[in-house]
Amino acid sequence: MELETVKPTETQLRARRNRSVAIALALGAFVLVVYVVSIVRLGPAVIERSF
């Protein structure tokens, strides 16, 4: 018994790739915002601290 699969069209594959790129960019932007906000909230003392 052979399974039948649906093959996406070229347009559907392009749309899927565009969605993936948009999600990756949004995730990267979110990570960058969280990093910057964390540094700002900790203040300049985090850079000048000695170990």
Side-chain angles (χ1 to χ4, degrees):
M1 184 170 166
E2 191 174 325
L3 292 176
E4 292 184 26
T5 58
V6 177
K7 300 229 180 210
T9 64
E10 188 64 36
T11 305
Q12 290 171 328
L13 290 173
R14 204 172 315 119
R16 181 187 295 172
R17 176 160 174 74
N18 288 341
R19 271 193 310 272
S20 296
V21 168
I23 290 170
L25 289 174
L27 181 59
F30 176 72
V31 168
L32 185 63
V33 167
V34 169
Y35 177 75
V36 169
V37 168
S38 298
I39 295 299
V40 168
R41 286 189 56 150
L42 288 173
V46 88
I47 297 171
E48 298 170 2
R49 183 168 84 172
S50 61
F51 291 101

